[in-house]
């Protein structure tokens, strides 16, 4: 018999897959139950409301992203870090060559956080992890005001990823765009 925490996690994983495949409007209890391989009653037992489902899914995603990006930031800590290593890290952040439901779901959840202020704290936590990684990389590359520019770098990455999602542009475009940012300093900006 599955543990309650396993069932709950299966439901959250199913919600994220559904969101990535068909958007938040497709998240119904019946679809979640089918996708997670659990009873309909299990869905309502573990999550009383749609908001709770979305919030817990976003929090799970945030926890995973925070762990991932904190580990990446920690790996960017030696003196041999250079522009080549920065490009590798950015390519990891870009997520490879194909967008799948795992890459699309975060955009859906962040848009939902824009509509539902109850989700904003979780989104803020995730962006803090992105900013930490960006600050670490920019600092190691010797970019002045790295902490102040981190949000710009993160916004650039998200914008490029959204563009990539919408147009099918290659991941290399994202790496190139971020590398351009590392060469700009406040005194060099137009």
């Amino acid at each position: 018999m599955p543990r309650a925490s396993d069932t709950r996690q299966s439901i959250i994983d199913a919600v994220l897959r559904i969101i990535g495949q068909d958007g938040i409007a497709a998240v119904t209890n019946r679809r979640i139950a089918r996708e997670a391989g659990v009873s309909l009653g299990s869905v309502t037992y573990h999550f009383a409301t749609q908001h709770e489902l979305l919030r817990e899914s976003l929090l799970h995603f945030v926890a995973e992203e925070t762990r991932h990006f904190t580990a990446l930031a920690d790996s960017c800590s030696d003196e041999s870090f250079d522009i080549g290593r920065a490009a590798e890290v950015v390519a990891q952040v870009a997520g490879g060559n194909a967008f799948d439901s795992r890459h699309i779901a975060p955009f859906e959840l962040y848009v939902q956080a824009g509509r539902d202020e109850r989700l904003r704290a979780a989104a803020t936590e995730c962006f803090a992890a992105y900013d930490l990684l960006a600050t670490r990389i920019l600092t190691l590359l010797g970019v002045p005001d790295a902490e102040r520019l981190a949000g710009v770098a993160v916004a650039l990455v998200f914008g490029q990823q959204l563009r990539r999602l919408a147009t099918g542009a290659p991941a290399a475009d994202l790496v190139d765009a971020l590398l351009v940012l590392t060469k700009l300093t406040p005194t060099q900006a137009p």
Side-chain angles (χ1 to χ4, degrees):
M1 179 169 204
R3 294 188 332 243
S5 63
D6 293 339
T7 300
R8 189 175 175 86
Q9 188 58 53
S10 293
I11 292 168
I12 288 171
D13 292 340
V15 168
L16 290 171
R17 279 192 307 276
I18 294 166
I19 290 171
Q21 292 166 357
D22 297 316
I24 288 175
V27 176
T28 66
N29 287 354
R30 288 189 192 288
R31 174 125 183 235
I32 294 165
R34 187 174 55 248
E35 185 87 21
V38 301
S39 71
L40 184 57
S42 289
V43 175
T44 56
Y45 172 78
H46 287 284
F47 300 96
T49 66
Q50 176 92 359
H51 171 263
E52 186 182 349
L53 263 169
L54 294 176
R55 182 181 174 283
E56 290 301 314
S57 297
L58 181 57
L59 287 172
H60 171 73
F61 172 78
V62 165
E64 292 295 313
E65 286 287 273
T66 300
R67 271 193 291 282
H68 176 71
F69 285 104
T70 300
L72 275 175
D74 290 345
S75 75
C76 301
S77 60
D78 62 30
E79 289 77 38
S80 65
F81 190 86
D82 61 8
I83 200 77
R85 177 73 177 113
E88 289 172 19
V89 172
V90 171
Q92 273 188 281
V93 169
N97 294 323
F99 262 105
D100 57 18
S101 62
R102 185 177 58 85
H103 293 95
I104 297 170
F107 288 101
E108 292 276 350
L109 287 167
Y110 292 137
V111 168
Q112 188 64 24
R115 292 183 186 115
D116 184 346
E117 66 184 45
R118 298 171 295 180
L119 298 175
R120 288 188 187 146
T124 299
E125 184 180 328
C126 199
F127 276 95
Y130 299 147
D131 289 350
L132 172 67
L133 176 60
T135 299
R136 182 75 51 90
I137 290 171
L138 294 171
T139 298
L140 287 168
L141 293 175
V143 174
D145 273 340
E147 192 170 334
R148 187 173 67 83
L149 290 174
V152 173
V154 169
L156 176 64
V157 168
F158 266 80
Q160 284 294 109
Q161 283 186 309
L162 188 57
R163 181 183 185 129
R164 185 173 161 223
L165 170 64
T167 65
D173 288 356
L174 170 59
V175 174
D176 290 344
L178 196 57
L179 293 178
V180 166
L181 179 68
T182 65
K183 294 178 184 351
L184 289 177
T185 65
T187 58
Q188 296 172 318

